[in-house]
Amino acid sequence: MAFPPAEAIADVIRPAAAARGLDIEDLKVTGAGRMSRVTVLVDGDDAPDLDAIEAVTRDISAALDEAEAAGEIDFGDKEYTLEVSTPGVSAPLTAPRHWRRNRNRLVRIRLGDGGQLVGRIGAFDEDGDRVIIVTSTGPKGRPKATGAILELAMVTQAVVEIEFSKAPAVELDLAGLDFDDAVTRLEELDK
């Protein structure tokens, strides 16, 4: 009997993750002989800590056991190891929720026109199609915040940058504003 496909497993475990406020970001099934591995990446608006990962792992395992007992999926005589983790900081930002969850973090963006941009993620518009990207210029002791409105449809790749120093307060201030207030501030800065 073939191991269940990843999408069938995802359908079974998605409610268990959702009950804890988490999304299934990725699911991979890898096999070698009689032993397979089911790797599940979860994330949520409140970044899950180790206790949350442990709890959702128990829930996912129970959901898989219940689904197999009910005949919804069949692992046959194959053994598997379940691994549950988060995508990590190096995961690309591919959906609006990824951008929202990384607000205030520095991100490297590659645009469809070949350009690149590095800036701090600010607020989204109501539709989730545009985001404020904040940067700062000026002398190190007295930087000034600036920024741009970025259409997510223009982004071909985006990855969070690791920062080893504290973010400039002027950037965090602008990134912390709601979308309309940030647009107003950017207009004032351009004058």
Side-chain angles (χ1 to χ4, degrees):
M1 163 131 308
F3 204 80
E7 191 52 43
I9 295 172
D11 289 343
V12 167
I13 67 173
R14 199 170 279 118
R20 295 215 177 252
L22 300 172
D23 297 306
I24 303 292
E25 293 294 343
D26 195 17
L27 188 144
K28 289 187 175 123
V29 176
T30 53
R34 293 182 48 86
M35 186 58 132
S36 294
R37 180 177 324 162
V38 177
T39 304
V40 181
L41 299 181
V42 296
D43 203 2
D45 286 348
D46 295 323
D49 60 13
L50 290 175
D51 291 335
I53 295 295
E54 182 180 341
V56 78
T57 300
R58 283 192 306 270
D59 296 349
I60 288 171
S61 181
L64 290 171
D65 291 346
E66 290 170 16
E68 188 169 26
E72 296 171 22
I73 57 174
D74 186 7
F75 294 103
D77 61 351
K78 294 195 178 215
E79 296 178 20
Y80 67 93
T81 301
L82 175 64
E83 295 178 1
V84 180
S85 185
T86 59
V89 74
S90 63
L93 308 180
T94 58
R97 70 178 179 267
H98 301 148
W99 290 80
R100 188 180 68 247
R101 291 174 181 162
N102 284 287
R103 187 168 180 180
N104 292 325
R105 298 198 64 187
L106 198 61
V107 64
R108 179 172 300 280
I109 304 163
R110 186 175 304 143
L111 303 171
D113 64 4
Q116 284 199 34
L117 176 64
V118 176
R120 194 162 307 284
I121 300 172
F124 273 91
D125 67 351
E126 286 182 14
D127 299 327
D129 299 330
R130 300 179 301 158
V131 64
I132 302 291
I133 300 297
V134 179
T135 57
S136 57
T137 60
K140 201 169 197 155
R142 302 195 70 187
K144 294 184 180 191
T146 186
I149 301 170
L150 177 67
E151 300 276 343
L152 289 183
M154 297 173 56
V155 176
T156 59
Q157 182 184 26
V159 179
V160 170
E161 291 281 296
I162 304 296
E163 292 184 89
F164 295 103
S165 59
K166 190 174 180 181
V170 294
E171 288 184 16
L172 292 175
D173 178 52
L174 183 53
L177 297 176
D178 70 30
F179 188 83
D180 292 334
D181 289 341
V183 169
T184 301
R185 175 87 58 89
L186 288 173
E187 289 170 353
E188 291 170 357
L189 292 170
D190 284 342
K191 291 179 182 178

